[in-house]
Amino acid sequence: MKFGIFYEHQLPRPWREGDELRLFQEALDQVELADRLGIDYAWEVEHHFLEEYSHSSAPEVFLAACSQRTKRIRLGHGIVLMPPGYNAPARVAERIATLDLVSQGRVDFGTGESSSLAELGGFGVGVADKREMWRECVEQVANMMVMDPYPGYTGKYFSMPCRNVIPKPVQKPHPPLWVACSNRDTIHLAARLGMGALTFAFVDPTEARKWVSEYYELIRTECVPIGHAVNANIAMVTGFSCHENEAEARRRGEDGFRFFGYGLGHHYIFGTHKPGRTDVWASFEKARALLPDAGASRGIGTPDQLRQHLESFEEAGVDQVIFIQQGGRNRHEHICESLELFASRVLPEFRARADSRARRKEEELAPAIEKALARKKWMRPLSDDEIPELVALGRQVAQQTPELADNTASRASGLPVPLADPLAGSR
């Protein structure tokens, strides 16, 4: 089983000058430490306008910075918001490929649609259409990263003409595809589309076993990949705070984990919010006594307690556990100490089993994945004769109004500009 760390970049009020700078610099230090310690993944969200809960609106920038301070840890978008109101599909393909290049092939491409009205309304994304938007755009972004050129597309939610979307990613055919899941239905969808399931729901091991079983059964029987490869993996989140003393582990990590859940509820479920004015942390403090405890069953405890907690997920067939260690007012030094203790006392035995377990799974699933890829209806590439020829704007203007084009170009550059193609006679 693999392990990841997870960032929302939470920043509870009150805010002081320099707090966001400190937050991001400490997160970079933590990812660099996790890389040295042998943690497998660093996941970063994309959220907009969700004050205090998440100050992570440009994950591609943060992950690019991480790529230059690390050597081996995989860099995961958890997730990119895919409806085109948030991100133009071609721009997503370009950014993912560029991050894959600067990280030397370490990107995991998590996707999702969001369900907060602050984000949906801020970008004009309709609630009723967001799932269809996500599906249309994910499929086309995968095509853009692979096809040379991309043939173009006319869809319900976005269209673009034939272009060669560059650069292309290091990983072939493209980085592994994931989708954010908060319930069983979305996990089933992930399996049917051949995507990894990033399960952002806190479940116990018994429930996890059922979800994993259903996911892999659908991978074997009903999968039709949305991309050009199948990423058969299921990841689940847990809290994280590790200390030799259980009470100290809870003192350091419990409030942060509970604020994570409270902030999520505030922006997505029960809250009202006045931008720039509402104090989510103050509301959390008033509700603290009513919130459930978070101990060893949520990844907060001693090394032995964490080992037992994580083994239950491993036995359930979970492929990766992602730690929510940056929550609320959790302190940077405590996060680093927890990671170091986990890496020295708990991680080695899981790592010893991980590679052989992954090989067995790959061998077992290979026939099913081959059948899944055979079921896919592939986008037809264009023949050379079908690829349109693009005529430069200057040439078009020159052909229509040669005198105007000549004067405009000369004034802009200060140099004479040829109106005819200088190579035309040599073709």
Side-chain angles (χ1 to χ4, degrees):
M1 191 167 68
K2 304 290 187 180
F3 296 96
I5 54 176
F6 180 75
Y7 288 92
E8 294 273 5
H9 295 324
Q10 296 203 333
L11 190 64
R13 280 186 165 89
W15 298 333
R16 301 178 301 274
E17 186 68 30
D19 279 352
E20 284 184 320
L21 173 62
R22 172 190 53 78
L23 175 71
F24 276 81
Q25 295 304 315
E26 288 178 350
L28 288 170
D29 288 344
Q30 291 162 25
V31 173
E32 186 175 354
L33 173 64
D35 180 57
R36 292 200 305 270
L37 294 174
I39 302 296
D40 303 288
Y41 288 79
W43 294 96
E44 170 80 351
V45 306
E46 178 188 346
H47 280 311
H48 303 273
F49 321 127
L50 305 188
E51 298 172 278
E52 300 185 63
Y53 176 71
S54 178
H55 290 231
S56 177
S57 55
E60 68 281 358
V61 178
F62 178 77
L63 292 172
C66 291
S67 77
Q68 301 307 294
R69 295 180 58 164
T70 58
K71 298 296 183 185
R72 53 164 299 282
I73 197 168
R74 293 193 62 84
L75 305 171
H77 278 275
I79 46 116
V80 179
L81 296 174
M82 295 303 294
Y86 295 124
N87 293 295
R91 295 290 293 119
V92 174
E94 293 165 344
R95 294 202 307 259
I96 294 296
T98 300
L99 181 58
D100 207 41
L101 289 164
V102 300
S103 68
Q104 300 188 61
R106 290 188 280 139
V107 175
D108 277 61
F109 178 24
T111 70
E113 59 200 55
S114 182
S115 58
S116 91
L117 290 181
E119 294 172 292
L120 294 165
F123 287 93
V125 177
V127 175
D129 297 327
K130 64 191 182 74
R131 172 60 57 83
E132 289 183 46
M133 291 178 180
W134 165 83
R135 186 165 184 159
E136 183 174 85
C137 292
V138 169
E139 183 171 25
Q140 294 311 311
V141 168
N143 287 332
M144 290 174 191
M145 287 192 283
V146 173
M147 302 184 77
D148 179 14
Y150 174 65
Y153 177 78
T154 301
K156 184 176 181 180
Y157 300 106
F158 93 98
S159 301
M160 69 173 285
C162 171
R163 294 292 187 272
N164 194 19
V165 182
I166 52 174
K168 301 299 186 188
V170 176
Q171 298 175 89
K172 303 301 180 188
H174 49 62
L177 295 176
W178 299 75
V179 58
C181 304
S182 59
N183 54 54
R184 287 176 62 194
D185 289 344
T186 322
I187 290 177
H188 292 174
L189 177 66
R192 290 189 174 101
L193 296 178
M195 305 178 77
L198 280 172
T199 309
F200 296 118
F202 298 101
V203 300
D204 61 41
T206 301
E207 193 173 10
R209 186 183 299 275
K210 181 174 178 58
W211 287 18
V212 169
S213 174
E214 292 173 352
Y215 174 85
Y216 277 107
E217 179 61 24
L218 290 170
I219 287 282
R220 291 184 178 93
T221 59
E222 298 184 25
C223 175
V224 180
I226 195 170
H228 291 242
V230 173
N231 177 33
N233 282 285
I234 185 164
M236 294 190 174
V237 297
T238 186
F240 180 73
S241 177
C242 188
H243 194 274
E244 296 286 5
N245 181 279
E246 179 184 2
E248 181 63 12
R250 293 183 65 162
R251 187 187 73 80
R252 293 181 174 196
E254 185 174 34
D255 241 15
F257 179 76
R258 294 196 292 180
F259 179 76
F260 181 93
Y262 184 88
L264 179 69
H266 170 82
H267 284 291
Y268 284 80
I269 303 171
F270 58 76
T272 59
H273 195 88
K274 182 176 287 191
R277 296 295 179 268
T278 295
D279 190 325
V280 182
W281 180 264
S283 299
F284 165 74
E285 289 190 308
K286 293 177 182 177
R288 182 188 281 116
L290 303 176
L291 299 175
D293 294 340
S297 64
R298 295 301 188 195
I300 297 172
T302 67
D304 289 340
Q305 288 174 321
L306 261 65
R307 181 182 299 106
Q308 183 177 1
H309 174 62
L310 296 169
E311 282 176 346
S312 63
F313 283 107
E314 185 182 47
E315 292 165 2
V318 173
D319 297 295
Q320 182 183 162
V321 172
I322 303 172
F323 298 141
I324 297 176
Q325 85 290 351
Q326 193 277 316
R329 291 183 174 169
N330 286 0
R331 291 169 54 180
H332 170 63
E333 59 268 29
H334 293 165
I335 293 170
C336 293
E337 289 172 11
S338 289
L339 288 171
E340 289 171 339
L341 184 59
F342 169 80
S344 65
R345 294 280 301 279
V346 183
L347 179 59
E349 60 192 76
F350 286 94
R351 184 186 291 164
R353 299 190 290 266
D355 288 343
S356 59
R357 183 174 183 256
R359 283 194 299 271
R360 286 196 306 272
K361 186 183 86 169
E362 185 177 355
E363 292 170 0
E364 291 170 1
L365 289 178
I369 290 175
E370 184 178 357
K371 291 178 182 178
L373 290 168
R375 287 191 287 265
K376 179 179 172 65
K377 293 182 179 179
W378 302 90
M379 191 176 204
R380 187 181 70 83
L382 299 179
S383 68
D384 284 0
D385 290 342
E386 292 175 305
I387 298 172
E389 189 172 65
L390 307 180
V391 180
L393 177 61
R395 186 184 185 102
Q396 294 184 44
V397 173
Q399 291 171 341
Q400 294 168 9
T401 53
E403 183 177 351
L404 175 62
D406 186 26
N407 292 337
T408 302
S410 296
R411 285 197 302 271
S413 66
L415 298 171
V417 179
L419 296 182
D421 183 348
L423 300 179
S426 64
R427 288 177 181 161

